[in-house]
């Protein structure tokens, strides 16, 4: 799922350049192992996982497992 964010104006990421952060919220199959140090290819672009991946866990109603969710960003500029 595409998402967009921008760095804080005047922050370290934006000194003397235009920084663009393109990001995605990824829903991966349950049981997959993703870490904050991993990179993932989305639409042909290499993105870094940002933040801690979240496991939706098991439904108390059906017993099925939900997806793994994580944010992935590509920073340019």
């Amino acid at each position: 799922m595409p998402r967009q964010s921008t760095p804080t104006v005047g922050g370290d990421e934006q000194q003397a350049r235009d920084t663009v952060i393109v990001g995605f919220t990824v829903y991966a199959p349950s049981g997959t192992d993703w870490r904050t140090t991993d990179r993932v290819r989305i639409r042909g672009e290499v993105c870094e996982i940002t933040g801690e991946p979240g496991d939706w866990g098991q439904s108390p109603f059906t017993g099925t497992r939900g997806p793994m969710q994580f944010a992935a960003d590509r920073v340019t500029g």
Side-chain angles (χ1 to χ4, degrees), residues 13-75:
E13 295 177 284
Q14 210 173 27
Q15 296 298 321
R17 61 184 175 177
D18 292 329
T19 300
V20 177
I21 300 173
V22 177
F24 300 91
T25 300
V26 179
Y27 296 91
S30 65
T32 54
D33 185 26
W34 295 99
R35 301 176 186 190
T36 57
T37 54
D38 291 339
R39 291 183 181 178
V40 62
R41 186 174 299 275
I42 302 172
R43 297 181 180 173
E45 299 288 337
V46 176
C47 300
E48 294 184 8
I49 293 179
T50 55
E52 188 69 30
D55 184 352
W56 282 49
Q58 186 172 346
S59 168
F61 304 108
T62 63
T64 58
R65 293 203 52 87
M68 290 291 294
Q69 177 184 350
F70 59 87
D73 295 327
R74 179 175 54 88
V75 180

Side-chain angles (χ1 to χ4, degrees), residues 1-18:
M1 175 171 36
R3 65 179 169 73
Q4 180 178 338
S5 63
T6 56
T8 305
V9 175
D12 292 339
E13 295 177 284
Q14 210 173 27
Q15 296 298 321
R17 61 184 175 177
D18 292 329

